[in-house]
Amino acid sequence: MPISALLYVSRKPNISSEDFRKHYEAHLELLKKLAGDGLPLSHKRSYIARTTVTSPPDDATTRNSRTPGTICHGQQTELDFDVYAELTFADQAAFEALHARVTATDAVAQI
């Protein structure tokens, strides 16, 4: 039975949203190399749309005070991450195999 792993990833404060996106996409190439034939069935990602403002909104978070997310409903505190990713695996064993590969000492050193 397929399973999904959900990731909420935040950029470092000194990295722009654009640079973060480029870095994350490049990071996927490293994942492909490390995973070999153990890649997830899919890796869907959605980046938070952010704008740069001179005056932070009232509900701004410290990390994103000058780059609030574009929201229709809710509060900025609910968007204190920069990308939401959903990785789908064939089953639990496939997830655990990839997890073992990317947490191995040599892989961690590359990541």
Side-chain angles (χ1 to χ4, degrees):
M1 176 169 102
I3 67 162
S4 295
L6 305 177
L7 305 175
Y8 294 89
V9 183
S10 299
R11 62 188 159 82
K12 292 180 180 178
N14 61 336
I15 297 177
S16 71
S17 295
E18 178 70 25
D19 287 344
F20 171 79
R21 185 178 186 139
K22 289 176 187 175
H23 181 78
Y24 189 89
E25 293 297 323
H27 190 80
L28 294 179
E29 293 305 312
L30 177 58
L31 175 65
K32 290 176 186 177
K33 176 184 159 191
L34 296 172
D37 61 354
L39 284 171
L41 299 174
S42 67
H43 183 166
K44 178 183 174 188
R45 51 215 173 269
S46 299
Y47 292 91
I48 302 301
R50 296 195 177 279
T51 54
T52 302
V53 297
T54 55
S55 181
D58 292 339
D59 63 346
T61 63
T62 301
R63 198 174 59 76
N64 286 308
S65 64
R66 300 287 183 191
T67 55
T70 303
I71 58 173
C72 296
H73 179 72
Q75 297 185 12
Q76 289 298 321
T77 54
E78 297 168 346
L79 292 178
D80 205 26
F81 57 92
D82 293 283
V83 65
Y84 158 85
E86 180 179 0
L87 287 71
T88 303
F89 297 88
D91 54 27
Q92 184 71 27
F95 168 76
E96 290 174 3
L98 178 63
H99 185 265
R101 285 183 178 183
V102 300
T103 58
T105 304
D106 61 327
V108 171
Q110 293 180 61
I111 294 171

